[in-house]
Amino acid sequence: PPLAVIYDRPVHFRAILIIAFICFTAVRFAHAVDCKATVNGDLRIHQLASNIFNNTRSIRVLLPPGYDAAENRGKRYPVLYMLDGQNLFVACRSEVSHQEWRLDETVYRLIREKAIPEMIVVGVDHAGAKRAYEFLPYRDSFNPDLEEPAGKYFPDFLATEVLPFVNGQYRTLTGQGNTGLGGSSYGGVATLYALLARPQTFGFGLIESP
């Protein structure tokens, strides 16, 4: 019926709203169910509770080839930490573009080609709606309505919560020369700020479009 008639019949209109909500929820659920892992390699996912930001997020750890092999039990690896972990390995986890960075395929290929050393790659998930709040150390002048961000605490979150967790779970090489950080967009801003704020922690960076 015409929209005017729907407004004349509020019960029917509410019913249509309920049906629309159910359909929207069903589509979201179907998308989640259809989200198939496309990871190449050994990816392990942990949940990390943060005291600094008072929330919990996924930490996605991509291990190098042969990590569990008997001959490598005493071997330790440098670590590259990457922000926006949802975007790195599986396209349907990427909330904005629904495209993945193919970080797993790229890292494994470069290791095979001996262009980079064998390394552990850690994807640190962003905080969803609080992404800008956590990443930005200062207000974004293009988004003046954003609340005052807390990105000045993000280097501490990485150094005192994320790194100790990963170092406690995996055979990592620690120290500035073995620890890198990367990100893009707001994640690139957070990366640059962390490199400046914690030069003794992070020895190299991978920054795109900050």
Side-chain angles (χ1 to χ4, degrees), residues 153-192:
Y153 300 106
F154 199 77
D156 296 334
F157 161 70
L158 293 171
T160 66
E161 295 187 331
V162 177
L163 269 67
F165 176 81
V166 174
N167 291 337
Q169 295 281 332
Y170 297 98
R171 301 192 309 273
T172 62
L173 286 171
T174 59
Q176 180 213 44
N178 298 304
T179 309
L181 180 65
S184 75
S185 192
Y186 279 174
V189 174
T191 296
L192 179 58

Side-chain angles (χ1 to χ4, degrees), residues 11-183:
V11 173
H12 292 176
F13 183 61
R14 285 197 296 270
I16 290 172
L17 286 179
I18 292 171
I19 291 170
F21 174 77
I22 292 172
C23 291
F24 175 77
T25 304
V27 169
R28 290 287 300 271
F29 177 76
H31 177 72
V33 170
D34 290 341
C35 186
K36 294 181 173 61
T38 57
V39 177
N40 288 293
D42 187 354
L43 182 70
R44 305 181 187 183
I45 302 176
H46 305 270
Q47 296 301 308
L48 176 67
S50 170
N51 292 321
I52 290 177
F53 290 119
N54 194 31
N55 56 22
T56 300
R57 77 196 67 222
S58 293
I59 303 294
R60 306 169 191 270
V61 182
L62 181 71
L63 298 175
Y67 178 87
D68 285 331
E71 63 271 21
N72 293 328
R73 285 177 182 167
K75 188 172 183 178
R76 294 184 173 272
Y77 301 87
V79 186
L80 172 62
Y81 292 86
M82 294 292 296
L83 306 185
D84 290 321
Q86 296 98 320
N87 303 338
L88 305 180
F89 308 112
V90 181
C92 55
R93 297 295 182 206
S94 177
E95 298 174 352
V96 178
S97 66
H98 300 298
Q99 297 180 6
E100 63 170 286
W101 290 19
R102 296 179 57 82
L103 195 63
D104 43 347
E105 291 90 346
T106 302
V107 167
Y108 271 47
R109 176 177 59 80
L110 293 174
I111 288 175
R112 285 196 307 271
E113 295 172 357
K114 301 188 183 305
I116 61 174
E118 293 180 323
M119 66 173 62
I120 296 171
V121 179
V122 177
V124 181
D125 278 20
H126 64 69
K130 287 285 189 178
R131 179 176 181 266
Y133 173 77
E134 288 190 356
F135 280 175
L136 295 180
Y138 310 103
R139 284 183 185 271
D140 183 349
S141 59
F142 292 100
N143 292 284
D145 294 332
L146 289 176
E147 62 182 316
E148 185 66 30
K152 292 178 181 179
Y153 300 106
F154 199 77
D156 296 334
F157 161 70
L158 293 171
T160 66
E161 295 187 331
V162 177
L163 269 67
F165 176 81
V166 174
N167 291 337
Q169 295 281 332
Y170 297 98
R171 301 192 309 273
T172 62
L173 286 171
T174 59
Q176 180 213 44
N178 298 304
T179 309
L181 180 65

